[in-house]
Amino acid sequence: MTVVLARVDERLVHGITVNQWNRELHPKRYMVVDNEISKNEMIKATMRMSKPAGTGMSIIDEEKAITNFNNGKYDSHAVFILVKEPETLLNMIRGGVKIPAVNLGAMFEENDRKSFTSRIAMDDKEIEDLKKIQELGVKIYAQYTPDDEKILLDDLLKKGE
């Protein structure tokens, strides 16, 4: 076992990811992959306090995540990856990390982002990165909580047309 799911969610670690998704996925490790946050000890300490009992949490940059996965560090773990943007996952996949599916959680409407649902807004680069991930055979869908309906990427993009 390794990656059980990767989620794009700007809030990263919050009640939905550590409670509802924990019950659904039963991860052994939460992995926040973010080049900036991985350098901020205060934010990292706050995130670690919210992890469910019995789970681990890594807060690392892309390069370290790719290296650790390729070296087999998480082979015995069920890992739930959390990132802020699709590009991070694309880089990880291109770096050899096997990701079975990408869940789009919360991507806020700001800057040049176009709204697709009440919780998903994306700009052109994010859409292109997701399409590239999908072309690599990874299933992509929007689903805020495990109880919500899954909306596949192609259907999500049609909503925005």
Side-chain angles (χ1 to χ4, degrees):
M1 173 131 313
T2 248
V3 178
V4 292
L5 184 65
R7 179 177 170 102
V8 179
D9 191 320
E10 288 186 39
R11 296 186 308 161
L12 298 169
V13 177
H14 56 91
I16 303 251
T17 55
V18 298
N19 291 317
Q20 294 181 41
W21 283 102
N22 184 59
R23 285 193 301 270
E24 179 78 11
L25 301 173
H26 307 288
K28 182 176 178 181
R29 174 165 302 280
Y30 281 78
M31 180 177 290
V32 173
V33 182
D34 188 278
N35 292 338
E36 295 303 314
I37 290 175
S38 67
K39 299 173 191 167
N40 188 319
E41 294 304 321
M42 187 182 308
I43 292 174
K44 287 167 55 173
T46 302
M47 285 184 173
R48 284 193 182 104
M49 285 191 293
S50 65
K51 75 176 181 63
T55 65
M57 182 174 285
S58 298
I59 304 167
I60 55 181
D61 63 33
E62 282 178 31
E63 185 178 332
K64 184 167 183 147
I66 291 167
T67 299
N68 287 352
F69 273 107
N70 288 336
N71 288 339
K73 183 171 182 177
Y74 309 113
D75 286 356
S76 65
H77 295 206
V79 179
F80 182 22
I81 296 175
L82 300 163
V83 301
K84 285 186 176 182
E85 52 206 24
E87 181 180 24
T88 304
L89 295 175
L90 181 59
N91 292 340
M92 290 175 69
I93 293 165
R94 287 178 172 164
V97 179
K98 305 283 186 262
I99 294 175
V102 173
N103 167 267
L104 305 178
M107 299 171 73
F108 303 118
E109 192 171 346
E110 58 191 15
N111 303 325
D112 294 332
R113 284 184 170 164
K114 179 180 174 184
S115 182
F116 290 87
T117 71
S118 61
R119 292 188 175 93
I120 304 291
M122 298 178 285
D123 62 27
D124 291 341
K125 180 176 182 340
E126 291 164 329
I127 292 167
E128 284 306 309
D129 288 343
L130 289 168
K131 287 180 178 179
K132 289 174 186 173
I133 291 169
Q134 187 171 260
E135 287 168 6
L136 294 169
V138 179
K139 181 179 174 181
I140 301 173
Y141 58 90
Q143 186 181 29
Y144 189 63
T145 73
D147 296 330
D148 293 336
E149 176 187 356
K150 287 182 182 177
I151 304 170
L152 295 175
L153 178 63
D154 292 339
D155 295 332
L156 184 68
L157 295 176
K158 286 178 191 167
K159 286 183 176 226
E161 291 178 348

